[in-house]
Amino acid sequence: ENIPDTFEKKTELEISLNWGMSTSQLKLGLYSDVVNTVSKVLDRSPRFVDALVRRGEALRRLKRWQDSVNDFAKAMTMAPGNPDVLRGMRLGLEGLNQGFVQEDQEESSRQRLQKQRENLERLRIEKERQRHEEHERKLAHEARIQQLKEERLERERVRKEKERKRLLKLEDEKK
């Protein structure tokens, strides 16, 4: 008879100590600690509605929306009309919805950024192609100029050769 009483008193003491500690942690804004401490309380007393509310609130403050909503849903099954439970559930669902909206916005931003990167890459490739084409045109132009110079030099060489031959012929005729 004495052992069960001692066990129950020890359990009640642990719950009381952890509950008090979670109150201080909550006031200090130590939400992760609140979650851990209140989880110990709920391990000993799973139907403690206020503990579910407190942990749900801490989870909400940590933006762990789904976990928060889960705690408030459990509390709601035990205390359906409790205003703290209803308020927590509403705020948790709003946060969850806001989280989805934010995720959608982030995904849209990622997609826009990806499109911008793709566009920049296309522009870079197009610019490189244009530079290459311009370089090829320049080389072709320089080659054509070189060809025209060589043709002009050849014509000049042929003209001088003809002139030399004509002068030689005139010299031979004079003799």
Side-chain angles (χ1 to χ4, degrees), residues 2 18 20 26 28 54 87 89-91 100-101 110 112 125 129 134 138-139 149 152 155:
N2 207 9
N18 283 319
L26 189 62
L28 292 171
R54 183 168 289 175
R87 178 183 167 280
M89 178 61 92
R90 179 180 56 79
L91 293 173
F100 288 143
V101 168
R110 277 191 294 277
R112 276 194 308 277
I125 290 170
R129 185 190 61 75
E134 181 63 28
K138 186 176 179 181
L139 289 176
K149 284 180 182 178
R152 191 185 92 233
R155 281 193 310 271

Side-chain angles (χ1 to χ4, degrees), residues 13-28:
L13 183 61
E14 283 179 21
I15 290 171
S16 180
L17 287 172
N18 283 319
W19 185 249
M21 189 182 327
S22 73
T23 302
S24 297
Q25 292 167 336
L26 189 62
K27 287 179 182 176
L28 292 171

Side-chain angles (χ1 to χ4, degrees), residues 36-103:
N36 293 332
T37 304
V38 174
S39 292
K40 292 175 188 173
V41 171
L42 288 167
D43 287 344
R44 296 287 189 180
S45 182
R47 299 193 52 80
F48 189 179
V49 173
D50 288 340
L52 285 167
V53 170
R54 183 168 289 175
R55 188 173 70 177
E57 176 63 21
L59 289 164
R60 186 179 68 78
R61 301 241 181 193
L62 292 169
K63 297 185 187 218
R64 289 175 50 189
W65 310 114
Q66 188 62 60
D67 293 333
S68 174
V69 168
N70 290 345
D71 272 0
F72 287 115
K74 284 180 201 168
M76 197 174 278
T77 62
M78 293 178 253
N82 183 316
D84 291 333
V85 173
L86 295 173
R87 178 183 167 280
M89 178 61 92
R90 179 180 56 79
L91 293 173
L93 289 171
E94 285 174 5
L96 188 60
N97 186 44
Q98 184 181 25
F100 288 143
V101 168
Q102 185 176 354
E103 286 175 11

